[in-house]
Amino acid sequence: MSTPPLLETRALYRNFGALAAARDINFRLEAGARHALIGPNGAGKTTFVNLLTGVVRPTTGAVLLKGRDITGVAQAERVKLGIARTFQINRLFRRLSVLENVYIAVAERVGAAPSMFRPAGRRRDVVDESMRLLETLKLSGDAARRISELPYGRQRLVELAIALGLKPEVLLLDEPAAGVPSAESHIILDAIDRLPREIAVLIIDHDMDLVFRFAERITVMVSGAVFATGSPREIAAAADVRAVYLGQASRG
Amino acid sequence: MTEPVDHPAARALAERHRLRIWEAIPWLLALGFFFAFPKHLGFGTELLVTVLFAISLDLVLGYAGIVTLGQAAFFGAGAYTVGILAKQGIWHEPITGLLLAALVAAAVGFGSGLVLLRTQGLTLLMLTLCTMALLEEAANLAHDYTGGFDGLDSLPIAPLFGRFEFNPLYPTTQYLYVLAVLFVCFVFVRMLVYSPFGQSLRGIRENMLRMHAVGAPVRGRLVLCYTLSAAIAGVAGGIWAQANAYVNLGTLGLDRAATVLIILVLGGHGRLYGAFIGAVAYISLSHFLARIYPTAWQLGLGLLLVVIALFARNGILGIAAALRRPAHRAAS
């Protein structure tokens, strides 16, 4: 038997009442992948992310990480196993500094966060790692600023920084450039381009420019089910995909 | 590779727990009060207990963002622990009595926290209020132990260290005792809020969903914080009962819970010293307003709160910080 994919779902179903938000999803994310998930609004993309991260449990079916069944594993535990995500709408610690935002994630990963009896600043390892991460994202100039003082594009970078502070093997990017003015969007795209290959990236997006620039494999979802999977070239050429999606929304 | 990163932000975070010179001021003032106003030590003791109680609330409300109206449940639990043990002749020693008060209040906090902290916002607010009301009613009904509506008075509290009597007319022992306990509890809370644990509480306050997404055991942290805060509130209640040799249903009442909330809003929540400033401001204001407008002094207080809520969400200390911000941009 060949090595299992990094992340896999098998016959995943999720119903919200009568609505089937996920129908028979069989999905594979390989190690180091650059994979994109696209689909019209309401296709179930967010539900799928929530199923992968453990926010929502499937009605039936399984989620596997490196061949191990993690369907019953709680969200916080999945983070520890290496699955991190960013949010479509910023979910940041708005009144804290950029450095503190990343500190929280790093402290959680290295197990420093429960410590009560010594100052946060004494964990120089956590402070320094957070600072270096900001440097790689060219955010160190803003490290002392509060999130609420940053332009939106930079805030999106902090979203990414928090997720990277968790040193994930799987990174789920939910519309990473959403809401960023086009003049600033290159800073997000450049940061995504520079992500190390050890991280498998699944990007969920409407923005076709971004998806085709970045993805090596694309999965199209429609009405809660996988409609097509293939290389960008195959997806762009598939007439039925154009019909359901590409034709009606060349730009999200 | 592993040499420390020299960046202003990294330095600010690495040094933010350092003691600052001005932090001595409240303690010097409190000691000064002892010598300057020997006739008002009863009032001073009440003020210090209020500060301690407000600090317990600041931990949950200001740092962890748990919106509660029921903090007096723990104050009362501590007060009744001391009161019942003393009245039944089981325990009179003050310091260990406070530890027992802390334990009982912590148990109440832990038990109720496990249930309540599954909820948020308005639901949480109402449930904290309900918990307190239930305890108050239970204390009212358990007349044989709690004295019901009349409470328990003339509590026999043993002298401190076997030497210093608690004299209700000249409360010098009480004042210094409360000041010392306040100091110890303050040092503990200060350590807590600057620790990585405290940082994660701020994270929960700022964005709970994100805390889940970085793998934090959010509910466990909240319950722990709630329990610790309850223990401190229990110490405040216990020491109040010892200082006054008295417990009544008012220790469990909404009045007390609301007052301490007002104090924190007034002084500034999530800022450690907001409890001090708020307590002094509240008590001087109510004193002043009651003088100039005896029939409706609370109206003035209410108006001031409206102004604070509309224009100075972070209280008096928040105004001070805003004025300093252009010069100092320290990480909060």
Side-chain angles (χ1 to χ4, degrees):
Chain A
M1 186 186 151
S2 63
T3 53
L6 184 57
L7 188 64
E8 186 183 4
T9 68
R10 288 186 190 157
L12 212 54
Y13 282 84
R14 171 68 207 205
N15 302 319
F16 294 110
L19 174 77
R23 289 186 294 140
D24 193 25
I25 300 180
N26 293 286
F27 175 85
R28 295 163 68 97
L29 185 73
E30 305 294 340
R34 294 291 181 265
H35 201 131
L37 181 64
I38 63 173
N41 279 328
K45 300 187 296 290
T46 302
T47 298
F48 184 58
V49 171
N50 287 337
L51 285 164
L52 291 179
T53 51
V55 176
V56 171
R57 293 290 159 86
T59 310
T60 60
V63 181
L64 294 91
L65 184 71
K66 297 180 199 162
R68 178 189 155 194
D69 190 333
I70 58 164
T71 316
V73 174
Q75 184 186 6
E77 291 309 308
R78 290 192 200 192
V79 175
K80 302 245 157 26
L81 293 174
I83 303 177
R85 69 169 296 182
T86 64
F87 290 87
Q88 181 184 345
I89 297 162
N90 285 345
R91 302 213 179 266
L92 301 169
F93 310 116
R94 285 185 61 79
R95 287 187 294 168
L96 306 184
S97 73
V98 170
L99 179 60
E100 282 177 285
N101 269 259
V102 180
Y103 181 100
I104 287 174
V106 175
E108 213 57 66
R109 189 196 88 237
V110 302
S115 142
M116 294 180 165
F117 300 110
R118 65 168 170 171
R122 284 274 167 77
R123 286 302 298 249
R124 257 336 267 251
D125 56 328
V126 180
V127 176
D128 289 348
E129 186 186 332
S130 308
M131 206 58 231
R132 288 203 180 88
L133 180 55
L134 291 177
E135 274 163 20
T136 63
L137 289 168
K138 298 179 182 156
L139 268 171
S140 49
D142 294 320
R145 294 175 76 189
R146 279 182 177 208
I147 298 294
S148 50
E149 297 169 352
L150 289 188
Y152 197 78
R154 304 236 128 210
Q155 293 188 22
R156 294 304 281 162
L157 271 188
V158 181
E159 271 285 324
L160 191 61
I162 291 176
L164 291 176
L166 302 169
K167 286 215 173 136
E169 284 186 76
V170 177
L171 180 58
L172 310 173
L173 301 176
D174 196 352
E175 299 197 27
V180 180
S182 50
E184 282 180 45
S185 67
H186 68 275
I187 62 171
I188 310 285
L189 300 184
D190 290 347
I192 296 172
D193 274 339
R194 286 199 311 272
L195 287 174
R197 268 288 162 175
E198 302 91 81
I199 303 177
V201 180
L202 176 63
I203 191 164
I204 296 96
D205 220 303
H206 280 293
D207 184 336
M208 286 307 126
D209 292 344
L210 194 156
V211 166
F212 281 96
R213 162 174 169 175
F214 169 82
E216 289 157 5
R217 201 165 173 76
I218 296 177
T219 296
V220 185
M221 272 185 83
V222 176
S223 315
V226 172
F227 184 78
T229 296
S231 67
R233 187 181 298 236
E234 288 164 353
I235 293 296
D240 47 357
V241 172
R242 284 172 173 278
V244 298
Y245 189 55
L246 295 183
Q248 68 189 21
S250 59
R251 223 170 192 291
Chain B
M1 171 70 202
T2 49
E3 80 275 17
V5 177
D6 192 36
H7 185 283
R11 235 176 296 134
L13 183 55
E15 291 173 7
R16 70 166 180 194
H17 58 275
R18 299 265 171 89
L19 279 169
R20 288 157 185 81
I21 291 171
W22 59 261
E23 289 188 85
I25 295 172
W27 307 103
L28 291 176
L29 286 177
L31 274 178
F33 184 92
F34 178 78
F35 295 108
F37 303 103
K39 288 197 178 133
H40 298 283
L41 290 184
F43 165 79
T45 306
E46 188 77 26
L47 182 66
L48 293 179
V49 172
T50 305
V51 171
L52 179 57
F53 186 36
I55 285 173
S56 80
L57 181 64
D58 200 17
L59 185 58
V60 281
L61 182 80
Y63 287 91
I66 301 171
V67 189
T68 169
L69 251 182
Q71 192 71 0
F74 312 124
F75 188 93
Y80 273 101
T81 303
V82 164
I84 293 171
L85 288 177
K87 203 66 181 175
Q88 302 282 330
I90 301 169
W91 204 265
H92 306 287
E93 204 286 315
I95 294 177
T96 43
L98 280 190
L99 292 178
L100 291 171
L103 271 179
V104 171
V108 176
F110 180 73
S112 60
L114 273 184
V115 181
L116 301 187
L117 294 170
R118 291 170 180 275
T119 65
Q120 285 173 50
L122 198 56
T123 317
L124 177 59
L125 190 77
M126 293 315 291
L127 286 176
T128 57
L129 194 60
C130 291
T131 312
M132 188 174 68
L134 283 173
L135 273 184
E136 187 181 6
E137 203 45 47
N140 190 21
L141 291 174
H143 191 276
D144 292 347
Y145 297 98
T146 61
F149 188 76
D150 300 324
L152 302 169
D153 55 13
S154 310
L155 297 176
I157 304 294
L160 191 62
F161 303 124
R163 282 186 58 191
F164 304 102
E165 292 278 349
F166 287 98
N167 185 331
L169 293 179
Y170 302 99
T172 51
T173 308
Q174 282 96 316
Y175 186 85
L176 293 176
Y177 172 52
V178 173
L179 184 58
V181 169
L182 171 63
F183 183 74
V184 170
C185 291
F186 178 80
V187 168
F188 176 70
V189 172
R190 191 183 185 284
M191 180 187 68
L192 218 55
V193 301
Y194 285 129
S195 72
F197 176 77
Q199 188 66 34
S200 82
L201 293 181
R202 287 189 192 83
I204 294 171
R205 175 192 76 197
E206 292 295 311
N207 202 320
M208 195 182 282
L209 215 84
R210 174 59 96 167
M211 283 309 275
H212 283 293
V214 299
V218 171
R219 206 157 66 84
R221 296 256 166 85
L222 286 178
V223 171
L224 183 52
C225 170
Y226 200 61
T227 305
L228 292 170
S229 156
I232 295 166
V235 169
I239 212 165
W240 185 85
Q242 291 173 345
N244 294 300
Y246 173 63
V247 196
N248 67 355
L249 286 179
T251 58
L252 280 167
L254 178 59
D255 251 15
R256 187 172 290 276
T259 303
V260 76
L261 192 62
I262 292 170
I263 283 173
L264 210 52
V265 169
L266 209 57
H269 55 280
R271 294 167 183 271
L272 277 179
Y273 288 95
F276 291 82
I277 305 266
V280 172
Y282 177 85
I283 291 185
S284 356
L285 258 173
S286 39
H287 191 75
F288 174 71
L289 288 170
R291 266 244 211 103
I292 59 168
Y293 205 12
T295 46
W297 62 274
Q298 285 176 317
L299 184 70
L301 207 58
L303 284 174
L304 182 78
L305 269 180
V306 171
V307 171
I308 289 256
L310 285 178
F311 302 110
R313 296 289 287 272
N314 297 315
I316 295 168
L317 280 182
I319 297 172
L323 293 176
R324 276 185 344 148
R325 177 144 312 152
H328 278 255
R329 191 177 266 143
S332 71

